[in-house]
Amino acid sequence: MVILALVLPTWAGITYVDLVRARRGDELPAPRLPGPPRTRAKKAAWIAASAYLAGGALHLYGLSYMPFLFPEDACWFNAGVKVHPDSSSALPVSLVCRGTEIVPWWVNPGLLVLGGTAVAATVTSAVLAFGRRRAG
């Protein structure tokens, strides 16, 4: 049953296409060759863009702990205490409720690493791109 349902129609379709090509004299399309390899400047630019995007997402995640409209609710939802935060800041991302830091410890080091990577990759990409133009 499987042969009749799957294999036979597939074989018929392939045969029909071959017959049509033979009648027209068409050949199979030439395989698409890969393009030129990416330059080091483009690779650095991709790394920079990825680091900027990941850093922005991580910063938004850290900001999700911040008090915006109702400060006492930030401590209530994150620490279970209905008080005003002792302090909060957006960079470095920090929210302190009753002496306890609420934002996870890895958010700020992650922002530092991603920010450094983004800046270094951007500078590297620009230097490589301008150096290539001068040499070429």
Side-chain angles (χ1 to χ4, degrees), residues 48-130:
S50 299
Y52 280 119
L53 186 65
L58 183 61
H59 195 247
L60 284 176
Y61 173 75
L63 289 179
S64 69
Y65 287 91
M66 294 293 107
F68 289 108
L69 294 176
F70 304 103
E72 66 276 358
D73 287 345
C75 289
W76 175 254
F77 289 129
N78 296 313
V81 183
K82 186 92 169 167
V83 296
H84 283 279
D86 297 341
S87 67
S88 66
S89 68
L91 201 60
V93 182
S94 174
L95 174 66
V96 180
C97 295
R98 285 200 177 167
T100 304
E101 178 64 46
I102 304 302
V103 178
W105 66 269
W106 48 267
V107 171
N108 289 316
L111 286 173
L112 183 66
V113 168
L114 288 170
T117 302
V119 169
T122 301
V123 169
T124 302
S125 176
V127 167
L128 289 173
F130 289 129

